[in-house]
Amino acid sequence: MKRESASSVQHVRLHESGPMPAGNTEYGICGYFLIFISGFLLLITFPFSLLMCLKVVQEYERAVIFRLGRIRSAKAQGPGLFFVLPCCDNFVKVDLRTFNFNIAPQEILTKDSVTCVVDAVIYARIYDATMSVVNVLNARASTNLLGATTLRTIVGTVGLSELLSDRNTIDKAMQQTLDSVTHQWGVKVERVEIKDVRLPVQMQRAMAAEAESTREARAKVVAAEGEMKASRSLKEAADVLSMTPQALQLRYLQTLQSVAEEMNHTIMFPMPSHLLSAPETILRRFVGQPQQQQQQATDTQTLIDVDTQF
């Protein structure tokens, strides 16, 4: 039972157990002897030794101090001045500002078997300097490589239409996946954005043809609906005009007025033929020539003209 517990303790990650506080750190006899010698040299060379012992970190930096290979404190030092022992302590500066990097373009096969080239950008920051130094060799490079593999995994599970139209969902899914892993490295992924999606030329032409066909079909449907509504309106208007003939004449005059608003138009005014034949009939009746004689005279004149021509 003791061996099993010892092996389980050895496999516990540092970020889970937490670095040991300074008071509980055991350096051994040699370690304490080296610390004593370092302190003795510090006193002998004082105040010149302060140049080697006093260090400064900026507001956006933290310092993880190691004493004889062990973490001196679970909390990183800074910002400002801090004290180190020469020959025993060394420290690593960690920048806490948000950093970004571009994921190299990845040629990915989507869920619907379409090959596309996708690239993205990731914004992240280190929130725990101790974990970023102890648990991973290079937090930024590891986050970059993890972002590339996560991008291939996420895009491979969605279709092309979803990739082009619903990028926000894909970005959030990538951010949650990355953050769940980089949390162990002391890195917080703040934002993930897909920059560009490049498709093959043939696929672009096929999509353009499909979109054009869809627009043409939609336009034809809209035109057909408009024609149907216009025909119904014309039928209703014809029914109203048939009830009052005077309304048709008024509409005709209104149309002439709208056409004659500009002087460069020529108006053709059609006149019914029965309006021209009525005065002629009245005139002949006034003269006294019967209509039948007039018709016979007209026929005789026509025969004479034909004989003359032959």
Side-chain angles (χ1 to χ4, degrees):
M1 295 296 292
K2 293 183 179 180
R3 292 180 180 179
E4 293 179 359
S5 61
S7 61
S8 62
V9 170
Q10 291 177 0
H11 288 84
V12 173
R13 294 180 60 85
L14 292 176
H15 74 275
E16 295 176 354
S17 61
M20 296 178 62
N24 297 333
T25 303
E26 296 182 359
Y27 300 106
I29 298 176
C30 295
Y32 286 115
F33 178 74
L34 292 176
I35 294 173
F36 175 77
I37 295 298
S38 178
F40 180 73
L41 294 176
L42 179 63
L43 293 175
I44 293 176
T45 59
F46 187 83
F48 301 101
S49 59
L50 294 178
L51 299 176
M52 300 292 296
C53 297
L54 294 179
K55 304 295 180 181
V56 180
V57 291
Q58 304 297 328
E59 181 68 29
Y60 53 85
E61 293 178 335
R62 297 294 183 271
V64 181
I65 303 175
F66 294 89
R67 176 166 293 177
L68 299 178
R70 293 177 177 271
I71 294 179
R72 177 180 168 183
S73 175
K75 183 179 179 181
Q77 299 294 321
L81 287 171
F82 62 95
F83 182 83
V84 295
L85 286 176
C87 303
C88 293
D89 293 349
N90 61 342
F91 64 96
V92 179
K93 286 185 180 181
V94 179
D95 196 336
L96 302 184
R97 291 177 293 182
T98 299
F99 59 91
N100 62 80
F101 50 84
N102 294 324
I103 299 177
Q106 305 289 320
E107 188 173 357
I108 306 172
L109 186 66
T110 60
K111 186 178 180 180
D112 48 1
S113 301
V114 177
T115 303
C116 59
V117 179
V118 183
D119 57 345
V121 60
I122 295 178
Y123 296 89
R125 62 180 177 84
I126 296 175
Y127 71 91
D128 193 318
T130 304
M131 292 171 61
S132 66
V133 172
V134 175
N135 290 345
V136 64
L137 179 62
N138 191 331
R140 298 193 179 189
S142 301
T143 305
N144 190 359
L145 294 176
L146 182 63
T149 56
T150 305
L151 177 64
R152 299 182 65 90
T153 302
I154 298 296
V155 174
T157 58
V158 299
L160 180 61
S161 59
E162 186 178 356
L163 176 62
L164 296 176
S165 62
D166 197 8
R167 293 188 181 182
N168 292 332
T169 304
I170 300 175
D171 294 341
K172 291 180 180 178
M174 286 185 59
Q175 179 183 358
Q176 293 175 359
T177 304
L178 287 172
D179 197 31
S180 62
V181 178
T182 58
H183 177 74
Q184 304 174 1
W185 304 338
V187 178
K188 172 65 177 177
V189 178
E190 296 180 343
R191 191 175 184 86
V192 179
E193 290 286 345
I194 294 179
K195 293 176 56 179
D196 188 20
V197 178
R198 294 189 293 272
L199 301 175
V201 179
Q202 297 180 353
M203 179 59 63
Q204 295 179 8
R205 293 177 180 175
M207 294 177 65
E210 181 182 0
E212 185 177 359
S213 302
T214 303
R215 288 193 297 268
E216 289 180 356
R218 192 177 303 169
K220 290 180 180 179
V221 171
V222 173
E225 292 178 354
E227 291 291 339
M228 181 177 63
K229 293 180 180 179
S231 61
R232 290 178 180 175
S233 301
L234 290 174
K235 180 180 179 300
E236 294 176 359
D239 294 339
V240 174
L241 292 175
S242 63
M243 296 173 62
T244 54
Q246 294 81 3
L248 181 61
Q249 187 66 21
L250 293 175
R251 178 60 180 165
Y252 177 70
L253 296 175
Q254 185 180 3
T255 303
L256 291 178
Q257 182 182 2
S258 62
V259 172
E261 289 180 355
E262 297 183 5
M263 302 300 296
N264 57 353
H265 289 281
T266 302
I267 301 176
M268 303 297 296
F269 187 79
M271 182 175 293
S273 59
H274 65 275
L275 296 179
L276 298 176
S277 61
E280 183 179 0
T281 304
I282 295 172
L283 181 61
R284 287 176 181 177
R285 287 181 181 179
F286 180 77
V287 173
Q289 184 180 4
Q291 186 176 3
Q292 185 175 4
Q293 293 180 1
Q294 292 177 3
Q295 184 68 26
Q296 291 178 358
T298 304
D299 295 341
T300 303
Q301 184 66 29
T302 303
L303 292 174
I304 292 173
D305 294 339
V306 173
D307 292 338
T308 304
Q309 290 178 2
F310 285 99

